[in-house]
Amino acid sequence: MIPSPPSSQRLFGAADFEARRLTEDDLPALQDFFVANPEYFVAVNGMLPRPDEAKQEFDELPLQSTDT
């Protein structure tokens, strides 16, 4: 089991899993995960993950609502 990060980064847990806020320190591991699992990117984007995919995902802002 992976050691838990500081509680301020923990978002929620379920059974043996937990969600936590990513930091820039996590990007190398995230990029390794993306490269090891290219099928997702091909299915969703029609292409393999870019060499900087983790950084792009990390920096991308959520879509802003245009509803007023």
Side-chain angles (χ1 to χ4, degrees), residues 6-52:
S7 60
S8 63
Q9 294 180 0
R10 187 174 190 270
L11 300 174
F12 63 88
D16 291 334
F17 302 98
E18 67 180 21
R20 64 182 181 90
R21 188 174 310 277
L22 293 178
T23 68
E24 289 202 40
D25 291 341
D26 297 310
L27 296 182
L30 184 59
Q31 184 68 35
D32 289 346
F33 177 80
F34 288 164
V35 170
N37 297 282
E39 297 86 4
Y40 169 80
F41 292 94
V42 173
V44 172
N45 301 319
M47 60 185 214
L48 295 172
R50 298 168 288 193
D52 64 344

